[in-house]
Structure formats: C-alpha cells, structure tokens
Amino acid sequence: MNAVDRLRRDHQILRTKLSILENALGMGPDAWFVLREISFTLSRQLLGHIRREEDLVAACRRALDPKVLAELSVEHRDEPAHLQALNQLFLTERGQSVDQVRPQLPRVISGLRHHMSEEEHDLFPILERTL
C-alpha cells in the first residue's frame, strides 16, 4: 500500500466512525457513553491521519501550490479543535446529557466529511502525481 492509499484507507475508517457517531446520536440518552468513546477514538485516529498526511505533504511541498498548503494548514487546525471542544463537553457534562452534544456533533461530522472529500478530489491526485 502506498502512502496515498494509506490516507484513503484512513478516510474510510474515519467515515465509518462518523456514521457510527451519527447513528448513535439518534439512539438518545442511552448512547451517551458510546458517543463519548467513539468521539475520543475518532480524535486519536484523526490526529494520526493528519500526521501521516502532513508528512506526505512535506515530502511533496515543492510541487504543491502555496494556496493549497495554506488551506490544508487551516483545516487541519479547525477540525481537531472542533472535535476537541466536543470531547471537552463529554468530559465536563455531569448529567451525561445527549442534548448538550447534539448540536455540536452534526457540525463536526459534516465538516470532517466535507474536508475528506475535498482532499480526495484536490489534494490526493496532486500527491499521487508528485510521488
């Protein structure tokens, strides 16, 4: 498996976790601990993916458009920050209320899905050509 294929596989895993989060959100209050656990593991996996992606981008930096690099950098700060804020809600919410995380989760899920689609459409082909 080459480096870009590994990033694509990461995206498949992340999308599956996002779907599980989405489904668990619909289960109501009984899913509190499931939502929390999946959110925490998603954060860890996302950080690993970002690290692999940034290593690959660094190796191809000369061939990449500075605008693409700038956008990637901003997005890689935003999404983990949103997920971290969500995880902080899970840690501080004493009553395990799904209602506290319900507004945040769809935004995080949508943002990550959008970002992955953009990368697959715009960034990955450039990385493949450069490699």
Side-chain angles (χ1 to χ4, degrees):
M1 175 180 310
N2 70 34
V4 177
D5 288 340
R6 171 62 202 257
L7 295 177
R8 281 192 177 98
R9 190 183 82 178
D10 285 351
H11 281 192
Q12 288 175 327
I13 292 167
L14 293 169
R15 280 190 177 98
T16 300
K17 292 256 184 203
L18 293 173
S19 293
I20 293 169
L21 265 176
E22 211 168 38
N23 290 332
L25 187 59
M27 296 173 72
D30 292 338
W32 168 262
F33 291 106
V34 171
L35 289 166
R36 186 177 76 170
E37 181 62 30
I38 294 169
S39 181
F40 290 157
T41 60
L42 179 65
S43 290
R44 278 194 313 272
Q45 287 177 318
L46 181 62
L47 291 176
H49 168 73
I50 288 171
R51 188 172 46 255
R52 283 185 289 281
E53 193 170 82
E54 287 177 348
D55 288 348
L56 187 56
V57 167
C60 300
R61 186 168 300 280
R62 288 189 191 133
L64 295 175
D65 180 348
K67 182 182 174 189
V68 171
L69 290 171
E71 288 174 10
L72 185 64
S73 176
V74 168
E75 289 170 347
H76 278 183
R77 281 192 310 269
D78 287 350
E79 273 122 16
H82 295 179
L83 202 47
Q84 185 177 21
L86 178 65
N87 286 337
Q88 194 60 38
L89 269 178
F90 279 117
L91 289 173
T92 58
E93 182 54 39
R94 304 251 185 266
Q96 288 104 26
S97 172
V98 172
D99 293 334
Q100 294 293 355
V101 296
R102 189 179 307 280
Q104 298 269 348
L105 266 172
R107 285 192 297 264
V108 169
I109 291 168
S110 175
L112 283 170
R113 284 181 174 152
H114 179 73
H115 176 75
M116 288 186 291
S117 292
E118 282 184 337
E119 285 183 350
E120 290 164 357
H121 183 263
D122 300 331
L123 179 64
F124 290 3
I126 295 168
L127 294 174
E128 286 177 322
R129 283 192 303 272
T130 305
L131 292 173

